Amino acid sequence: MTDLSHLRDDFPILHREVNGWPLVYLDSAATTQKPVQVLDAVDAFYRTKNANVHRGAHTLSAEATAAYEGARAKVAAFVNAGSPNEIVFSRGATTALNHIAYGWGLNHLSAGDRVVLTVMEHHANVVPWQLLARYTGIELVYLTLDDDYEVDLTGLDDLLDERVKVVAISAMSNVTGTLGPVRPLVEAARSVGALVVVDAAQLVPHSPTDVQDLDADFLVFSGHKMLAPTGIGALWGKSERLEEMEPTEGGGEMIADVGLYESRWAPVPQKFEAGTPPVAQAVGLGAAVDYLTAIGMETVRAHEHAITGYTLKRLAEVPDLKVYGPSDPTRRGGAVSFTLADIHAHDIATILDQRGIEVRAGHHCAKPLMRYLAVPATARASFYLYNTTDDVDRLVDGLFEARSVFGFDA
Ligand code: PMP
């Protein structure tokens, strides 16, 4: 297995204890821990350069602007965007998807138009389209999953017609770890002139991502899931798509001119960044990108495949445990959801927490998927580059403990 355990020293929080046990953090699909390199970059920004950006004539403002725009250039390079201007900083994936639904959708979609989604979408890629449907009368249609939790494309040809204007898909489910079939969907969407929106909140942190190669129209992700602070994320869009998108928030920073009754917008991407932006958070995201680039995203992905494979193998040893997700670790991401007999997911998480092991339990902001899988909740272990097979072994020991607490044979 690709050994990245030396990186653990970069993450101060991994050295703390929880309930008297060394912490095992298995909730990186919710948010990741932060290395000192990111913490130091944010700290140094506030200590040495802090000022508001863009309009300032003074030195600190120029330095803060260079740091902010430098972060944009780093993020652009990280996903191979055609230009830094194709990167709009947002609060996260959720805000970015709302920008697309309102900023693009309100102006280009109308009653009877269709948006194709999948049943595995996070609420962030469902609810904005539902809100848009209320305003415009668009219809939402859903692709389902096959027996191995992969997106079922067999009915796609029947689904795709000239009514379909947008296909919006998660590149990786935060519940099942399923990789969304972005390439075939881009191809299929093009055949009817539809746009493709990719929710890459779980892809960009875990895998090399090349937006030009994927050739979608929009792709969104969150910084806090890739070692950066909360409050910063990105919306990548093809230049022509961003040009035809309207701003969804108005205020300072996003204008070229403001009159009493009319205003003109600043060029892309400032047009979408109303108000004082999250400068220090962007600097933190730039540092996170540097950190991940130094390790290499191929290495990050290889480590994730290996630890996911090890986890699936070890979980198979636990009687009455059911994993909800693709069986081939190289065809999935490192979010592993499971149920254990009829023990409630929250009880599993509580028992694990008593042993210092942090997993998520609940619907994971994917209620349509939970209903589709016919489970009220699952427990979920999710991995990042700092996790080791020791973490997985501790998880499995904890699950045997949960079995015995609930009176099941070991
Ligand atoms: N999409 C997916 C697949 C996610 O996992 C998440 C976060 N759990 C989001 C969107 C939303 O990200 P954020 O809360 O950072 O906006």
Side-chain angles (χ1 to χ4, degrees), residues 307-382:
I307 199 155
T308 305
Y310 182 75
T311 304
L312 294 178
K313 191 164 73 72
R314 292 264 14 234
L315 289 181
E317 296 167 19
V318 184
D320 307 314
L321 187 143
K322 178 172 161 75
V323 172
Y324 297 82
S327 43
D328 178 350
T330 65
R331 288 177 55 81
R332 55 166 295 150
V336 181
S337 284
F338 58 89
T339 53
L340 178 53
D342 60 356
I343 308 173
H344 196 284
H346 285 121
D347 291 330
I348 295 173
T350 304
I351 290 168
L352 292 173
D353 178 60
Q354 283 162 0
R355 302 167 69 101
I357 304 156
E358 314 293 72
V359 300
R360 201 124 195 118
H363 55 67
H364 315 293
C365 294
K367 281 198 147 194
L369 177 60
M370 291 291 130
R371 291 207 180 90
Y372 182 78
L373 299 176
V375 281
T378 65
R380 180 189 70 191
S382 57

Coordinates of all heavy atoms in Angstrom, one line a residue, residues 307-382:
I307 N -6.5 1.8 0.7 CA -7.2 1.8 2.0 C -8.6 1.4 1.9 O -9.2 0.7 2.8 CB -6.9 3.1 2.8 CG1 -7.2 2.9 4.3 CG2 -7.8 4.2 2.3 CD1 -6.5 3.8 5.2
T308 N -9.3 1.8 0.8 CA -10.7 1.4 0.6 C -10.7 -0.1 0.4 O -11.6 -0.8 1.0 CB -11.3 2.1 -0.6 OG1 -11.1 3.5 -0.4 CG2 -12.8 1.8 -0.7
G309 N -9.8 -0.7 -0.4 CA -9.8 -2.1 -0.6 C -9.6 -2.9 0.7 O -10.2 -3.9 1.0
Y310 N -8.6 -2.4 1.5 CA -8.3 -3.0 2.8 C -9.6 -3.0 3.7 O -9.9 -3.9 4.3 CB -7.2 -2.3 3.4 CG -6.7 -2.9 4.7 CD1 -6.1 -4.1 4.8 CD2 -7.1 -2.3 5.9 CE1 -5.7 -4.7 6.0 CE2 -6.7 -2.8 7.2 CZ -6.0 -4.0 7.2 OH -5.7 -4.6 8.4
T311 N -10.3 -1.8 3.6 CA -11.5 -1.7 4.5 C -12.6 -2.6 4.1 O -13.2 -3.3 4.9 CB -12.0 -0.2 4.4 OG1 -10.9 0.7 4.7 CG2 -13.2 0.0 5.3
L312 N -12.8 -2.7 2.8 CA -13.9 -3.6 2.3 C -13.5 -5.1 2.7 O -14.4 -5.8 3.1 CB -14.0 -3.5 0.8 CG -14.5 -2.2 0.3 CD1 -14.6 -2.1 -1.3 CD2 -15.9 -1.8 0.9
K313 N -12.3 -5.4 2.6 CA -11.8 -6.8 3.0 C -12.1 -7.0 4.5 O -12.6 -8.0 4.9 CB -10.4 -6.9 2.6 CG -9.8 -8.4 2.7 CD -8.5 -8.5 2.0 CE -7.4 -7.9 2.7 NZ -6.7 -8.2 3.8
R314 N -11.7 -6.1 5.3 CA -11.8 -6.2 6.7 C -13.3 -6.2 7.2 O -13.7 -6.9 8.1 CB -11.0 -5.2 7.5 CG -9.5 -5.3 7.3 CD -8.7 -6.0 8.5 NE -9.5 -6.8 9.4 CZ -9.4 -6.7 10.7 NH1 -8.6 -5.7 11.3 NH2 -10.0 -7.5 11.5
L315 N -14.0 -5.3 6.6 CA -15.5 -5.2 7.0 C -16.2 -6.5 6.6 O -17.2 -6.9 7.3 CB -16.2 -4.0 6.3 CG -15.8 -2.6 6.7 CD1 -16.5 -1.6 6.0 CD2 -16.0 -2.4 8.2
A316 N -15.7 -7.2 5.6 CA -16.4 -8.5 5.2 C -16.2 -9.5 6.4 O -16.9 -10.5 6.4 CB -15.7 -9.0 3.9
E317 N -15.3 -9.3 7.3 CA -15.1 -10.2 8.4 C -16.1 -10.0 9.5 O -16.2 -10.8 10.4 CB -13.7 -10.0 9.1 CG -12.5 -10.3 8.1 CD -11.2 -9.8 8.7 OE1 -11.1 -9.5 9.9 OE2 -10.3 -9.6 7.9
V318 N -16.8 -8.9 9.5 CA -17.8 -8.6 10.6 C -19.1 -9.2 10.2 O -19.7 -8.7 9.2 CB -17.9 -7.0 10.8 CG1 -18.8 -6.7 11.9 CG2 -16.5 -6.4 10.9
P319 N -19.6 -10.1 11.0 CA -20.9 -10.7 10.6 C -22.0 -9.7 10.6 O -22.0 -8.8 11.4 CB -21.1 -11.8 11.8 CG -19.8 -12.0 12.4 CD -19.0 -10.7 12.2
D320 N -23.0 -9.9 9.8 CA -24.2 -9.1 9.7 C -23.9 -7.6 9.3 O -24.8 -6.7 9.5 CB -25.0 -9.0 11.0 CG -25.2 -10.4 11.6 OD1 -25.7 -11.3 10.8 OD2 -25.0 -10.6 12.8
L321 N -22.8 -7.4 8.7 CA -22.4 -6.0 8.2 C -22.7 -6.0 6.7 O -22.3 -6.8 6.0 CB -21.0 -5.7 8.5 CG -20.6 -4.2 8.2 CD1 -19.6 -3.7 9.3 CD2 -20.0 -4.1 6.9
K322 N -23.4 -4.9 6.3 CA -23.7 -4.8 4.9 C -23.2 -3.4 4.4 O -23.5 -2.4 5.0 CB -25.3 -4.8 4.7 CG -25.7 -4.6 3.3 CD -27.2 -4.8 3.2 CE -27.8 -4.2 1.9 NZ -27.6 -4.8 0.7
V323 N -22.4 -3.5 3.4 CA -21.8 -2.3 2.8 C -22.7 -1.8 1.6 O -23.1 -2.6 0.8 CB -20.3 -2.5 2.3 CG1 -19.8 -1.3 1.5 CG2 -19.4 -2.9 3.4
Y324 N -22.9 -0.5 1.6 CA -23.7 0.0 0.5 C -22.8 0.8 -0.4 O -22.4 1.9 -0.2 CB -24.8 1.0 1.0 CG -25.8 0.3 1.9 CD1 -25.5 0.1 3.3 CD2 -27.0 -0.1 1.4 CE1 -26.4 -0.6 4.1 CE2 -27.9 -0.8 2.2 CZ -27.6 -1.0 3.5 OH -28.5 -1.6 4.3
G325 N -22.3 0.1 -1.5 CA -21.4 0.8 -2.4 C -20.7 -0.3 -3.3 O -20.8 -1.5 -3.0
P326 N -20.1 0.2 -4.4 CA -19.5 -0.7 -5.4 C -18.4 -1.6 -4.7 O -17.7 -1.2 -3.8 CB -18.9 0.3 -6.4 CG -19.7 1.5 -6.3 CD -20.1 1.6 -4.9
S327 N -18.3 -2.8 -5.2 CA -17.5 -3.8 -4.6 C -16.0 -3.6 -5.0 O -15.1 -4.0 -4.3 CB -18.0 -5.2 -4.9 OG -18.3 -5.3 -6.3
D328 N -15.8 -3.1 -6.2 CA -14.4 -3.0 -6.7 C -13.8 -1.7 -6.2 O -14.2 -0.6 -6.6 CB -14.4 -3.0 -8.3 CG -13.0 -2.8 -8.9 OD1 -12.1 -2.5 -8.1 OD2 -12.9 -3.0 -10.1
P329 N -12.7 -1.8 -5.3 CA -12.2 -0.5 -4.7 C -11.6 0.4 -5.7 O -11.4 1.6 -5.4 CB -11.1 -1.1 -3.7 CG -10.9 -2.5 -4.1 CD -12.1 -3.0 -4.8
T330 N -11.2 -0.1 -6.9 CA -10.6 0.8 -7.9 C -11.6 1.5 -8.7 O -11.3 2.4 -9.5 CB -9.6 0.1 -8.8 OG1 -10.4 -0.9 -9.6 CG2 -8.6 -0.7 -8.1
R331 N -12.9 1.1 -8.5 CA -14.0 1.8 -9.3 C -14.9 2.6 -8.3 O -16.1 2.7 -8.6 CB -14.8 0.7 -10.0 CG -14.1 0.1 -11.2 CD -14.9 -1.0 -11.9 NE -16.2 -0.5 -12.3 CZ -16.5 0.2 -13.4 NH1 -15.5 0.5 -14.2 NH2 -17.7 0.6 -13.7
R332 N -14.3 3.1 -7.3 CA -15.1 3.8 -6.3 C -14.2 4.7 -5.5 O -13.0 4.6 -5.5 CB -15.8 2.8 -5.4 CG -14.9 1.8 -4.7 CD -15.6 1.1 -3.5 NE -15.9 2.1 -2.5 CZ -17.0 2.0 -1.7 NH1 -17.8 1.0 -1.7 NH2 -17.2 2.9 -0.8
G333 N -14.8 5.6 -4.7 CA -14.1 6.5 -3.8 C -14.1 5.9 -2.4 O -14.7 4.9 -2.1
G334 N -13.4 6.7 -1.5 CA -13.2 6.2 -0.1 C -14.2 6.6 0.9 O -13.9 7.0 2.0
A335 N -15.5 6.6 0.5 CA -16.6 6.8 1.5 C -17.3 5.5 1.5 O -17.9 5.0 0.6 CB -17.6 7.9 1.0
V336 N -17.3 4.9 2.7 CA -17.8 3.5 2.9 C -18.9 3.5 3.9 O -18.7 3.7 5.1 CB -16.7 2.5 3.3 CG1 -17.2 1.1 3.4 CG2 -15.5 2.6 2.4
S337 N -20.2 3.3 3.3 CA -21.4 3.3 4.2 C -21.8 1.9 4.5 O -21.7 1.1 3.6 CB -22.5 4.0 3.5 OG -22.3 5.4 3.5
F338 N -22.3 1.7 5.7 CA -22.6 0.4 6.1 C -23.7 0.4 7.2 O -23.9 1.4 7.9 CB -21.4 -0.5 6.5 CG -20.7 0.2 7.7 CD1 -21.0 -0.1 9.0 CD2 -19.6 1.1 7.5 CE1 -20.4 0.4 10.1 CE2 -19.0 1.6 8.6 CZ -19.3 1.3 9.9
T339 N -24.4 -0.8 7.3 CA -25.3 -1.0 8.5 C -24.7 -2.3 9.1 O -24.1 -3.1 8.5 CB -26.7 -1.2 8.0 OG1 -26.8 -2.2 7.0 CG2 -27.3 0.1 7.5
L340 N -25.0 -2.4 10.4 CA -24.6 -3.6 11.1 C -25.8 -4.2 11.9 O -26.3 -3.6 12.8 CB -23.5 -3.2 12.1 CG -22.9 -4.3 13.1 CD1 -22.5 -5.5 12.3 CD2 -21.8 -3.7 13.9
A341 N -26.2 -5.4 11.4 CA -27.4 -6.0 11.9 C -28.5 -5.0 12.0 O -28.7 -4.2 11.1 CB -27.1 -6.7 13.3
D342 N -29.3 -5.0 13.1 CA -30.3 -3.9 13.2 C -29.9 -2.8 14.2 O -30.8 -2.2 14.8 CB -31.7 -4.6 13.6 CG -31.6 -5.3 14.9 OD1 -30.4 -5.3 15.5 OD2 -32.6 -5.8 15.4
I343 N -28.6 -2.7 14.4 CA -28.1 -1.7 15.4 C -28.3 -0.3 14.7 O -27.8 -0.2 13.5 CB -26.7 -1.9 15.8 CG1 -26.5 -3.4 16.3 CG2 -26.2 -0.9 16.8 CD1 -25.0 -3.7 16.5
H344 N -28.8 0.6 15.4 CA -29.0 2.0 14.7 C -27.7 2.6 14.5 O -26.7 2.5 15.3 CB -29.9 2.9 15.6 CG -30.4 4.1 14.9 ND1 -29.6 5.1 14.6 CD2 -31.6 4.3 14.4 CE1 -30.3 6.0 13.9 NE2 -31.5 5.5 13.7
A345 N -27.6 3.3 13.3 CA -26.3 3.9 12.9 C -25.8 4.8 14.0 O -24.6 4.9 14.2 CB -26.5 4.6 11.6
H346 N -26.7 5.5 14.7 CA -26.2 6.5 15.7 C -25.6 5.7 16.9 O -24.7 6.2 17.5 CB -27.3 7.4 16.2 CG -27.7 8.4 15.2 ND1 -28.9 8.6 14.6 CD2 -26.9 9.4 14.6 CE1 -28.9 9.6 13.7 NE2 -27.7 10.1 13.7
D347 N -26.1 4.6 17.2 CA -25.6 3.8 18.3 C -24.2 3.3 17.9 O -23.2 3.3 18.7 CB -26.5 2.6 18.6 CG -27.8 3.0 19.3 OD1 -27.8 4.1 19.9 OD2 -28.8 2.4 19.1
I348 N -24.0 2.9 16.6 CA -22.7 2.4 16.2 C -21.7 3.6 16.3 O -20.6 3.4 16.9 CB -22.8 2.0 14.7 CG1 -23.6 0.7 14.5 CG2 -21.4 1.7 14.1 CD1 -23.9 0.3 13.1
A349 N -22.1 4.8 15.8 CA -21.2 5.9 15.9 C -20.9 6.3 17.3 O -19.7 6.6 17.7 CB -21.9 7.1 15.2
T350 N -21.8 6.1 18.2 CA -21.6 6.5 19.7 C -20.6 5.5 20.3 O -19.7 5.9 21.0 CB -22.9 6.5 20.4 OG1 -23.8 7.4 19.8 CG2 -22.7 6.9 21.9
I351 N -20.8 4.2 20.0 CA -19.9 3.2 20.6 C -18.5 3.4 20.0 O -17.5 3.3 20.8 CB -20.4 1.8 20.3 CG1 -21.7 1.6 21.1 CG2 -19.4 0.7 20.6 CD1 -22.5 0.3 20.7
L352 N -18.4 3.7 18.7 CA -17.1 3.9 18.1 C -16.4 5.2 18.8 O -15.2 5.2 19.1 CB -17.2 4.1 16.6 CG -17.6 2.8 15.9 CD1 -17.8 3.1 14.4 CD2 -16.5 1.7 16.0
D353 N -17.2 6.2 19.0 CA -16.7 7.4 19.5 C -16.2 7.2 20.9 O -15.1 7.8 21.3 CB -17.8 8.5 19.6 CG -17.3 9.8 20.2 OD1 -16.4 10.4 19.7 OD2 -17.9 10.2 21.2
Q354 N -16.8 6.3 21.7 CA -16.3 6.0 23.0 C -14.9 5.4 22.9 O -14.1 5.4 23.9 CB -17.2 5.0 23.7 CG -18.5 5.7 24.3 CD -19.6 4.8 24.6 OE1 -19.5 3.5 24.4 NE2 -20.7 5.3 25.0
R355 N -14.5 4.9 21.8 CA -13.2 4.3 21.6 C -12.3 5.3 20.7 O -11.3 4.8 20.1 CB -13.3 3.0 20.9 CG -14.1 2.0 21.7 CD -14.4 0.7 20.9 NE -13.2 -0.1 20.7 CZ -12.9 -1.2 21.3 NH1 -13.7 -1.6 22.3 NH2 -11.8 -1.8 21.0
G356 N -12.8 6.5 20.6 CA -11.9 7.5 19.9 C -12.0 7.5 18.4 O -11.2 8.1 17.7
I357 N -13.0 6.8 17.9 CA -13.2 6.6 16.4 C -14.3 7.5 15.9 O -15.5 7.2 16.3 CB -13.4 5.1 16.1 CG1 -12.3 4.3 16.7 CG2 -13.5 4.9 14.6 CD1 -12.7 2.8 16.9
E358 N -14.0 8.4 15.0 CA -15.1 9.3 14.6 C -15.6 8.9 13.2 O -14.9 9.1 12.2 CB -14.5 10.8 14.5 CG -13.7 11.2 15.7 CD -14.5 11.3 17.0 OE1 -14.9 10.3 17.6 OE2 -14.6 12.4 17.5
V359 N -16.8 8.4 13.2 CA -17.5 8.2 11.9 C -18.8 9.0 11.9 O -19.3 9.5 12.9 CB -17.8 6.7 11.7 CG1 -16.6 5.8 11.7 CG2 -18.9 6.2 12.7
R360 N -19.4 9.1 10.7 CA -20.7 9.8 10.6 C -21.8 8.8 10.6 O -21.6 7.6 10.2 CB -20.7 10.5 9.2 CG -21.7 11.6 9.2 CD -20.9 12.9 8.8 NE -21.7 14.1 9.1 CZ -21.3 15.0 9.9 NH1 -20.2 14.8 10.6 NH2 -21.9 16.1 10.0
A361 N -23.0 9.2 11.1 CA -24.1 8.4 11.0 C -25.3 9.2 10.7 O -25.4 10.4 11.1 CB -24.4 7.7 12.4
G362 N -26.2 8.7 9.8 CA -27.4 9.4 9.5 C -27.7 9.3 8.0 O -27.4 8.3 7.4
H363 N -28.3 10.4 7.4 CA -28.7 10.3 6.0 C -27.7 11.0 5.1 O -27.8 10.9 3.9 CB -30.1 10.9 5.8 CG -30.2 12.3 6.3 ND1 -29.6 13.4 5.7 CD2 -31.0 12.8 7.3 CE1 -29.9 14.5 6.3 NE2 -30.7 14.2 7.3
H364 N -26.6 11.6 5.7 CA -25.5 12.1 4.9 C -26.0 13.2 3.9 O -25.4 13.2 2.8 CB -24.7 11.0 4.3 CG -24.4 9.9 5.2 ND1 -23.6 10.0 6.3 CD2 -24.9 8.6 5.2 CE1 -23.5 8.8 6.9 NE2 -24.3 8.0 6.2
C365 N -27.0 13.9 4.2 CA -27.6 14.9 3.2 C -27.9 14.3 1.9 O -27.6 14.9 0.8 CB -26.6 16.1 3.0 SG -26.4 17.0 4.5
A366 N -28.4 13.0 1.9 CA -28.8 12.3 0.7 C -30.0 11.5 1.0 O -30.1 10.3 0.8 CB -27.6 11.4 0.3
K367 N -31.1 12.2 1.4 CA -32.3 11.5 1.8 C -32.9 10.8 0.6 O -33.4 9.6 0.8 CB -33.3 12.5 2.4 CG -33.0 12.8 3.8 CD -34.2 13.4 4.5 CE -34.2 13.0 6.0 NZ -35.4 13.3 6.6
P368 N -32.9 11.3 -0.6 CA -33.5 10.5 -1.7 C -32.7 9.2 -1.9 O -33.4 8.1 -2.2 CB -33.3 11.4 -3.0 CG -33.3 12.8 -2.4 CD -32.6 12.7 -1.1
L369 N -31.4 9.2 -1.7 CA -30.6 8.0 -1.8 C -31.0 7.0 -0.7 O -31.1 5.8 -0.9 CB -29.1 8.3 -1.8 CG -28.2 7.1 -1.8 CD1 -28.4 6.2 -3.1 CD2 -26.8 7.5 -1.7
M370 N -31.2 7.5 0.5 CA -31.5 6.6 1.7 C -32.9 5.9 1.4 O -33.0 4.8 1.6 CB -31.7 7.5 3.0 CG -30.4 8.0 3.5 SD -29.3 6.7 4.1 CE -27.8 7.0 3.3
R371 N -33.8 6.7 0.8 CA -35.1 6.1 0.5 C -34.9 5.1 -0.6 O -35.5 4.0 -0.5 CB -36.1 7.2 0.0 CG -36.5 8.1 1.2 CD -37.9 8.7 1.0 NE -38.1 9.6 2.1 CZ -37.8 10.9 2.1 NH1 -37.2 11.5 1.1 NH2 -38.0 11.6 3.2
Y372 N -34.1 5.4 -1.6 CA -33.9 4.4 -2.7 C -33.3 3.1 -2.1 O -33.6 2.0 -2.6 CB -33.0 5.1 -3.7 CG -32.7 4.2 -4.9 CD1 -33.7 4.1 -5.9 CD2 -31.5 3.5 -5.0 CE1 -33.5 3.3 -7.0 CE2 -31.3 2.7 -6.1 CZ -32.3 2.6 -7.1 OH -32.0 1.8 -8.2
L373 N -32.3 3.3 -1.2 CA -31.7 2.1 -0.6 C -32.5 1.4 0.5 O -32.2 0.4 1.0 CB -30.3 2.5 0.0 CG -29.3 3.1 -0.9 CD1 -28.0 3.5 -0.1 CD2 -28.9 2.1 -2.0
A374 N -33.6 2.1 0.8 CA -34.6 1.6 1.8 C -33.9 1.4 3.2 O -34.1 0.4 3.9 CB -35.2 0.3 1.3
V375 N -33.1 2.4 3.6 CA -32.5 2.4 4.9 C -32.7 3.8 5.5 O -32.6 4.8 4.8 CB -31.0 2.1 5.0 CG1 -30.7 0.6 4.8 CG2 -30.2 2.9 3.9
P376 N -33.0 3.8 6.8 CA -33.2 5.1 7.4 C -31.9 5.9 7.6 O -31.9 7.1 7.5 CB -33.8 4.8 8.8 CG -33.5 3.4 9.1 CD -33.3 2.7 7.8
A377 N -30.8 5.1 7.8 CA -29.6 5.8 8.1 C -28.5 4.7 7.9 O -28.7 3.5 8.0 CB -29.5 6.3 9.5
T378 N -27.3 5.2 7.6 CA -26.1 4.3 7.6 C -25.0 4.9 8.4 O -25.0 6.1 8.7 CB -25.5 4.1 6.2 OG1 -25.0 5.4 5.7 CG2 -26.5 3.5 5.2
A379 N -24.1 4.1 8.9 CA -22.8 4.6 9.4 C -21.8 4.8 8.2 O -21.9 4.0 7.3 CB -22.3 3.7 10.5
R380 N -20.9 5.7 8.3 CA -20.0 5.9 7.2 C -18.6 6.2 7.7 O -18.4 7.1 8.5 CB -20.5 7.1 6.3 CG -19.6 7.4 5.1 CD -19.9 8.7 4.4 NE -19.5 9.8 5.2 CZ -19.9 11.1 5.0 NH1 -20.7 11.3 3.9 NH2 -19.5 12.1 5.7
A381 N -17.7 5.4 7.2 CA -16.3 5.7 7.4 C -15.7 6.3 6.1 O -16.0 5.8 5.0 CB -15.5 4.4 7.7
S382 N -15.0 7.4 6.2 CA -14.5 8.0 5.0 C -13.0 8.4 5.2 O -12.7 8.8 6.3 CB -15.3 9.2 4.5 OG -15.5 10.1 5.5

